[in-house]
Amino acid sequence: MVARTRSFVLAVGAVCLAAGLLSPATSQAREVSSYARVNDDASLRINGRTIHLAGIHVPDTGTTCQTWRNPPVCGSRAVVALRFKIDGFVRCELLSRNNDRSFNGWCRVGASSFEEGEDLAAYLLQQGWAVALPDASFEYLTMEKIARARGLGLWGIPVDNIRRR
């Protein structure tokens, strides 16, 4: 009798575990893939969730506008760069949740079943529009140093201060 009860409990546990692993809600909770809107602080708004790009900080660089786009795109330089880069769907792996109910995530554009896509945080670092956080990956820290050495983005010529004659 004890052996039957034990095997029944094990069988029920295995079924519950399999159902939990195969449940669509479980897999969707860790990854979000949809159209993204870029907020003014360079976070993303996807399916009602606010997602900050993990491993980086985007400092405020003042407002700029790209008037050649219709409608014109305005915001900080990092926000404008992200809006230009995204132009559609984003896939984010949610890594952690913040106290304000927002998330930190690894977000990519051009991701598919066969392609990993392009990392948006890495893109901002390479362009010089973000800084790597102290606990960021070695790759992110290196990308920031390269952008700094090349004088890109934040470390470049202050474009708004150039006076023309």
Side-chain angles (χ1 to χ4, degrees):
M1 182 75 166
V2 173
R4 279 190 197 173
T5 306
R6 185 178 298 157
S7 65
F8 176 75
V9 169
L10 290 174
V12 169
V15 168
C16 290
L17 180 63
L21 291 176
L22 298 177
S23 168
T26 306
S27 63
Q28 290 175 358
R30 299 301 304 158
E31 187 169 273
V32 179
S33 180
S34 184
Y35 179 78
R37 190 187 85 202
V38 181
N39 297 325
D40 290 337
D41 64 350
S43 63
L44 305 177
R45 188 80 176 157
I46 304 173
N47 287 342
R49 295 180 177 119
T50 299
I51 303 169
H52 300 275
L53 299 176
I56 65 169
H57 170 70
V58 179
D60 185 20
T61 56
T63 303
T64 187
C65 291
Q66 288 185 348
T67 56
W68 53 270
R69 293 195 69 168
N70 194 8
V73 178
C74 296
S76 76
R77 296 186 191 285
V79 169
V80 171
L82 268 181
R83 287 180 179 154
F84 179 74
K85 186 67 172 175
I86 290 174
D87 236 9
F89 279 69
V90 175
R91 179 176 288 175
C92 293
E93 181 181 333
L94 304 179
L95 303 175
S96 63
R97 189 171 193 161
N98 301 317
N99 291 335
D100 64 355
R101 301 182 67 170
S102 66
F103 293 89
N104 296 316
W106 178 50
C107 300
R108 306 165 322 267
V109 292
S112 68
S113 300
F114 305 106
E115 280 289 319
E116 189 175 84
E118 186 174 355
D119 182 352
L120 291 173
Y123 169 73
L124 287 178
L125 287 167
Q126 291 167 343
Q127 300 301 313
W129 297 124
V131 293
L133 295 175
D135 61 344
S137 69
F138 176 76
E139 290 85 2
Y140 280 9
L141 294 168
T142 304
M143 287 177 199
E144 178 192 334
K145 287 179 183 177
I146 292 170
R148 186 181 298 225
R150 290 183 176 169
L152 300 174
L154 299 167
W155 299 282
I157 299 170
V159 183
D160 298 329
N161 294 336
I162 295 176
R163 293 188 184 157
R164 299 187 185 197
R165 294 180 192 187

